[in-house]
Amino acid sequence: MTAHVSRSAPAVLFTDTGIDFHEPSEPRPIQNSSTLMVRVSFISVFLYLAIGVAVYMINGSFKGTTTLKLIDAIYFTVVLSTIGFGDIVPDATSTKIFTCGFILVGFGLTGFLLSGLVEYICDTQEAFTLSMMDENRYKRILWTYIVDEEKGRMRIRTKVSLALVVVIGCIATGAVTAHFLEGMDWIDSFYLSITSVTTVGYGDYAFKTVTGRCFAIIWLLVSTLAVARAFLYLTDYSMHKRKRKVAKLVLHKKITMSDLVAADLDNDGSISKSEFLIYKLKQMGKITETDILQISKQFDSLDCGIYGKISVADLMVNV
């Protein structure tokens, strides 16, 4: 049976049109792409480190404090792409040229891939936290300070607090390990930890023992990215507070004649609810004129009639 519909007909369920009127669900490929990103990150970082280790092992044109050659090779590659202590440096023209290219590639590649991995871990942890919510009264009171249920995500202040805990943990771990494995006093070990996690890396202190360098290989990668992510959360928190302040000012601002003229998109001397919404969102900085024009173009491409509305018939034509 073929369904016939007029442009003024309400939205009803058609059996033969093939149009799905249900609310679209969240696309599942996002999770698959995140998992794929993690796998690509691991493989790419492994290949990057393998190339650096191979060049160090085969070429041998390096100088500095040495221990076991394989450990030194991995340590040199990790330090090269993160801190740059300078305790192991190239000692020939060919290795210097290779190091220049290796730094440029590693500066973008390693940071991008590992940042994607850290972001995936953070998103997974956030999803797990949200899934742990239940109807227990006291737990829900606690969750209100941790989770924004309306937006379905952890509150920014919670992320900032966790990020600060991670920063303190990374610094403390580095300081304690440097004290016991490298035999440094507490001030020097703390100094080494701070200069390392912040990627300053003066080079006056570094890891010189086999056990210290084995620790540094993992710790430098994790701590530098964790601290970078923590400062990113702090920046997001600052921007979030500023946006909330601007939104509050916009919502409490009285409408003037100039606002009416600016918000009146169809120039009919009045403001409809949709025009009011668009104007306020523009003032809050949530949308731009370019966004509005692009959405308007998409609407016009779907609207096949002359009524300024998208109907079922329009959707059938555009299928």
Side-chain angles (χ1 to χ4, degrees):
M1 178 178 178
T2 303
H4 298 278
V5 60
S6 66
R7 289 193 171 275
S8 60
V12 294
L13 181 62
F14 297 92
T15 57
D16 299 334
T17 57
I19 299 177
D20 184 9
F21 290 93
H22 294 85
E23 192 71 21
S25 59
E26 188 71 18
R28 296 183 58 132
I30 294 178
Q31 295 180 348
N32 295 332
S33 62
S34 299
T35 305
L36 179 61
M37 181 63 185
V38 173
R39 293 176 181 175
V40 171
S41 298
F42 272 117
I43 295 173
S44 301
V45 172
F46 175 79
L47 291 176
Y48 174 81
L49 295 176
I51 293 172
V53 171
V55 170
Y56 185 93
M57 296 287 289
I58 296 172
N59 194 301
S61 298
F62 296 87
K63 63 180 180 179
T65 305
T66 60
T67 56
L68 297 178
K69 192 167 185 177
L70 178 60
I71 299 299
D72 292 344
I74 301 174
Y75 172 77
F76 167 76
T77 306
V78 171
V79 168
L80 191 66
S81 57
T82 54
I83 312 300
F85 285 130
D87 51 342
I88 299 178
V89 294
D91 193 29
T93 302
S94 59
T95 51
K96 288 179 181 179
I97 294 174
F98 166 78
T99 302
C100 289
F102 203 69
I103 290 173
L104 291 174
V105 173
F107 185 77
L109 177 65
T110 307
F112 172 76
L113 294 175
L114 291 179
S115 294
L117 177 60
V118 172
E119 184 176 355
Y120 173 79
I121 295 173
C122 292
D123 291 342
T124 303
Q125 185 269 336
E126 181 176 354
F128 175 76
T129 302
L130 292 172
S131 68
M132 293 294 291
M133 295 177 61
D134 56 28
E135 298 300 325
N136 183 281
R137 178 185 175 186
Y138 297 103
K139 285 186 178 181
R140 291 193 65 81
I141 293 175
L142 177 63
W143 283 120
T144 56
Y145 293 97
I146 299 176
V147 176
D148 188 341
E149 294 188 53
E150 292 183 359
K151 297 181 180 179
R153 67 185 185 189
M154 292 178 64
R155 297 186 183 277
I156 294 181
R157 63 170 176 261
T158 304
K159 291 184 177 181
V160 172
S161 300
L162 292 175
L164 291 176
V165 170
V166 170
V167 171
I168 295 173
C170 289
I171 293 174
T173 301
V176 171
T177 305
H179 174 73
F180 288 104
L181 296 184
E182 297 293 324
M184 298 180 179
D185 59 43
W186 285 110
I187 297 298
D188 290 341
S189 60
F190 182 74
Y191 171 80
L192 172 61
S193 183
I194 291 289
T195 56
S196 297
V197 299
T198 55
T199 69
V200 174
Y202 288 124
D204 47 349
Y205 292 95
F207 295 90
K208 299 179 180 180
T209 64
V210 174
T211 52
R213 288 184 174 179
C214 289
F215 163 78
I217 289 169
I218 305 299
W219 178 73
L220 289 177
L221 286 174
V222 174
S223 62
T224 52
L225 289 171
V227 171
R229 176 63 58 176
F231 283 111
L232 180 61
Y233 282 148
L234 288 172
T235 303
D236 288 343
Y237 181 67
S238 177
M239 294 178 63
H240 178 72
K241 287 186 65 177
R242 182 179 179 276
K243 288 180 179 179
R244 289 183 62 181
K245 185 178 180 180
V246 171
K248 188 175 181 180
L249 291 174
V250 170
L251 290 175
H252 288 81
K253 180 184 176 182
K254 294 183 178 180
I255 298 295
T256 63
M257 289 298 298
S258 60
D259 293 324
L260 188 145
V261 173
D264 186 13
L265 298 178
D266 55 7
N267 298 318
D268 63 350
S270 62
I271 304 176
S272 65
K273 187 174 183 179
S274 59
E275 289 174 331
F276 184 77
L277 286 171
I278 292 173
Y279 182 66
K280 285 295 184 180
L281 289 173
K282 285 174 61 178
Q283 284 189 318
M284 292 179 185
K286 295 183 180 294
I287 60 172
T288 63
E289 194 69 33
T290 302
D291 297 328
I292 297 173
L293 290 175
Q294 290 177 345
I295 295 171
S296 297
K297 287 181 179 179
Q298 185 182 21
F299 181 90
D300 293 338
S301 67
L302 295 173
D303 180 20
C304 300
I306 59 174
Y307 301 103
K309 296 180 180 179
I310 300 175
S311 64
V312 175
D314 293 330
L315 295 180
M316 293 174 64
V317 172
N318 288 281
V319 169

